[in-house]
Amino acid sequence: AQSVTQLGSHVSVSEGALVLLRCNYSSSVPPYLFWYVQYPNQGLQLLLKYTSAATLVKGINGFEAEFKKSETSFHLTKPSAHMSDAAEYFCAVGYGQNFVFGPGTRLSVLP
Amino acid sequence: KAGVTQTPRYLIKTRGQQVTLSCSPISGHRSVSWYQQTPGQGLQFLFEYFSETQRNKGNFPGRFSGRQFSNSRSEMNVSTLELGDSALYLCASSWGTGGDNEQFFGPGTRLTVL
């Protein structure tokens, strides 16, 4: 079965600092990859999606992610954190008929 | 285009009762998936319905069931509620079934079992 790991259940950055949220997946075949964000008391919102068209994917709110097949990684980055980025972030893998979510990383942004 | 709607948003029940949650997908979407989200277990897949048929099922007891109607609206039912069923239940819809279909989530129903 496929699995998704997200290193760090909680990440803290200062406002204006680089955001890096890590995601690794287990798959012998490149899957479809997604990043979702969840703000308090809300559902999940799609940030970006990798579909093999380009290894660097740009999403909403200034986020982007790079697919690295050799590392089976799909890390999420944002050059400059904003207070409004504080939320929980989920990496997800789609393959076949299935959709698997990682455990999530809570991002705190410090003033 | 209206998003995924879930009703009710909040629910309080007592142990042993049953509950039914409702989800209306985005217009044109035929797949509906349900997830349970808890602080300890994270997001766990319950089941997926496509064209009124259950396509996929997670590792939950038979007390958890669901169905989908011809208009793609879906309901999930939990019978004989336990304290551990307290969670945020999320519904997601997608155009088709399969891992390449991005899922659109509703705001969730927060169920509290006392």
Side-chain angles (χ1 to χ4, degrees):
Chain A
Q2 304 292 340
S3 66
V4 182
T5 56
Q6 293 183 239
L7 186 63
S9 60
H10 188 196
V11 170
S12 292
V13 299
S14 299
E15 192 173 18
L18 170 72
V19 176
L20 171 60
L21 304 181
R22 300 178 188 274
C23 172
N24 289 88
Y25 64 92
S26 66
S27 174
S28 57
V29 177
Y32 297 96
L33 297 159
F34 307 81
W35 274 100
Y36 284 84
V37 60
Q38 184 179 31
Y39 298 102
N41 299 314
Q42 294 187 26
L44 278 68
Q45 179 184 0
L46 182 68
L47 274 177
L48 50 81
K49 171 185 178 182
Y50 167 76
T51 58
S52 78
T55 56
L56 185 62
V57 183
K58 294 188 184 300
I60 62 172
N61 301 340
F63 284 94
E64 61 182 36
E66 185 174 8
F67 171 66
K68 290 188 177 181
K69 182 179 177 182
S70 60
E71 299 177 7
T72 59
S73 68
F74 191 56
H75 301 332
L76 182 71
T77 60
K78 182 174 180 177
S80 176
H82 191 270
M83 296 297 287
S84 61
D85 295 327
E88 186 142 20
Y89 292 79
F90 294 90
C91 180
V93 171
Y95 63 100
Q97 299 295 315
N98 299 294
F99 213 87
V100 178
F101 282 89
T105 296
R106 182 167 299 280
L107 175 67
S108 296
V109 182
L110 308 174
Chain B
K1 186 183 275 191
V4 178
T5 58
Q6 292 186 246
T7 56
R9 290 293 311 277
Y10 301 92
L11 207 48
I12 299 176
K13 292 286 188 179
T14 56
R15 279 180 299 174
Q17 287 187 308
Q18 75 165 18
V19 66
T20 299
L21 312 182
S22 180
C23 171
S24 293
I26 291 172
S27 178
H29 284 191
R30 296 167 63 192
S31 172
V32 173
S33 297
W34 289 89
Y35 295 86
Q36 181 195 66
Q37 186 178 29
T38 58
Q41 299 295 321
L43 269 169
Q44 292 188 284
F45 171 74
L46 280 155
F47 27 65
E48 179 194 9
Y49 286 87
F50 181 79
S51 295
E52 302 178 67
T53 302
Q54 187 179 89
R55 297 293 297 261
N56 230 338
K57 189 177 190 303
N59 189 26
F60 277 82
R63 300 185 297 108
F64 292 81
S65 63
R67 59 177 176 169
Q68 187 180 34
F69 302 96
S70 58
N71 62 358
S72 293
R73 191 177 70 84
S74 177
E75 289 181 348
M76 68 162 281
N77 184 78
V78 188
S79 62
T80 319
L81 284 167
E82 301 176 359
L83 295 179
D85 297 333
S86 294
L88 181 67
Y89 290 88
L90 292 165
C91 163
S93 76
S94 59
W95 183 84
T97 186
D100 60 329
N101 286 275
E102 62 195 69
Q103 300 194 1
F104 294 82
F105 283 79
T109 294
R110 185 163 297 281
L111 172 65
T112 301
V113 182
L114 303 176

